[in-house]
Amino acid sequence: MGSVTATAATFEALHEASVLLGLAVSADDCALVLRGARTLHIRYPAHAERALRLADWLNACDQVAAVHYPPLPDSPDHARWRAEFDGAAGLFSIELAPGVAHRAAAFVDQLELFGRGASWGGFESLALPCSLHDTRSLETGADRGPLVRLSVGLEDPDDLIDDLSRALDATRADTPPAPGG
């Protein structure tokens, strides 16, 4: 669920599109969102703290080509993030190094504490392989390998790091040798 803000001039078109698309949520879904929203101000900083710790650790892993998380001080978007935001989410992505990039789905399958899913902001950590080639037409993503999207929950960061480390090691061990090697 989410919200859309419209001007008086665009409201009618937005409303018509909403009706035509059948956008609606159940009363149960609304109750769940309301229940979660009541503790979001407590959970959100905890997610960010854990995510920064994991992102920093992943940034030092040789199996990871890049960590895409603006709160990291060495992120190319850090200055802009710092200027425009006063907090961070627990959501970021990693780009696996070329030797294991073709194994993004296998890496996610190796994770035990991370569930597989596309939701974010809940108490549990989630992971999902994704490819910019399949979903984007921008040239800027053409040279990137498969990404793994991580939503960091409220589990102990040391446990999550152990889970990521084990999955990276298992994925590397399962990587076929280079041609001629």
Side-chain angles (χ1 to χ4, degrees):
M1 293 198 317
S3 66
V4 177
T5 303
T7 64
T10 60
F11 175 78
E12 192 56 43
L14 179 64
H15 182 263
E16 183 178 329
S18 175
V19 170
L20 288 173
L21 293 172
L23 301 177
V25 295
S26 71
D28 287 340
D29 288 336
C30 290
L32 290 172
V33 168
L34 180 60
R35 183 178 72 182
R38 289 181 179 135
T39 59
L40 188 60
H41 69 286
I42 297 168
R43 290 183 290 112
Y44 205 75
H47 288 290
E49 177 185 324
R50 286 163 172 77
L52 185 57
R53 180 143 176 238
L54 268 63
D56 190 48
W57 180 84
L58 285 161
N59 210 23
C61 291
D62 61 350
Q63 299 105 312
V64 176
V67 177
H68 304 286
Y69 192 52
L72 281 174
D74 64 348
S75 167
D77 300 317
H78 183 74
R80 184 175 188 181
W81 171 80
R82 178 59 85 197
E84 297 181 14
F85 298 93
D86 60 6
L91 183 66
F92 66 93
S93 63
I94 61 172
E95 182 180 344
L96 296 175
V100 293
H102 69 288
R103 307 280 298 148
F107 165 72
V108 171
D109 288 342
Q110 291 290 328
L111 294 168
E112 293 179 3
L113 294 180
F114 286 80
R116 192 174 196 137
S119 183
W120 67 275
F123 64 88
E124 71 280 346
S125 293
L126 300 172
L128 192 66
C130 57
S131 172
L132 294 179
H133 301 287
D134 298 338
T135 59
R136 299 280 193 261
S137 60
L138 299 174
E139 293 294 324
T140 58
D143 58 344
R144 289 190 178 157
L147 302 175
V148 175
R149 179 180 180 263
L150 298 174
S151 175
V152 180
L154 299 176
E155 299 91 347
D156 185 297
D158 290 331
D159 293 341
L160 295 173
I161 288 172
D162 288 345
D163 194 31
L164 290 165
S165 178
R166 190 190 45 70
L168 285 168
D169 288 345
T171 304
R172 178 175 40 198
D174 200 23
T175 301

